[in-house]
Amino acid sequence: MLASDENLIHKLGTLVQLSIALDSTEIGIIRDLSVRLHGGTLDLELHGTTTVLIGQEDIENALKAFRNAWAVKIKLGYLSNG
C-alpha cells in the first residue's frame, strides 16, 4: 500500500467519523446540512429540529480530526426550527 493510499484512507475515515457524529443521537435532531468550500475554509451549517446540544462534543471531536486530515479551516453554524 502506498503512503498516498494510507492518507486517502485516513481522510475518508474522518469523513465517516463526522457522518456518525452528526447522527450520534439517532433521533434525527439534525435534519439537513449545508456545506460550502471557499478558499481554505469549509462552511458547515447544521439544520436541526431544535438547538443542537446533544452530541455536540462528538461533532466537535470529529471536526477536529477532519480539520487535521483535510487541512481546512471549518466554520460551523447551527440553525434550528425550534
Side-chain angles (χ1 to χ4, degrees):
M1 184 181 306
L2 300 174
S4 61
D5 292 337
E6 290 179 11
N7 186 41
L8 183 58
I9 291 167
H10 177 68
K11 284 182 171 182
L12 293 175
T14 62
L15 182 59
V16 171
Q17 286 177 328
L18 181 56
S19 299
I20 291 168
L22 290 172
D23 190 35
S24 64
T25 63
E26 297 181 0
I27 58 175
I29 291 174
I30 298 174
R31 296 285 186 192
D32 194 15
L33 60 99
S34 300
V35 180
R36 193 177 93 201
L37 179 65
H38 57 93
T41 301
L42 181 71
D43 288 335
L44 179 62
E45 191 168 88
L46 307 179
H47 305 261
T49 56
T50 185
T51 303
V52 179
L53 295 176
I54 300 172
Q56 191 169 356
E57 185 177 347
D58 294 334
I59 293 170
E60 293 292 337
N61 290 336
L63 283 173
K64 182 178 178 182
F66 186 89
R67 182 182 308 117
N68 291 335
W70 291 85
V72 295
K73 294 179 184 178
I74 298 176
K75 181 180 170 189
L76 182 61
Y78 298 98
L79 292 177
S80 70
N81 297 336

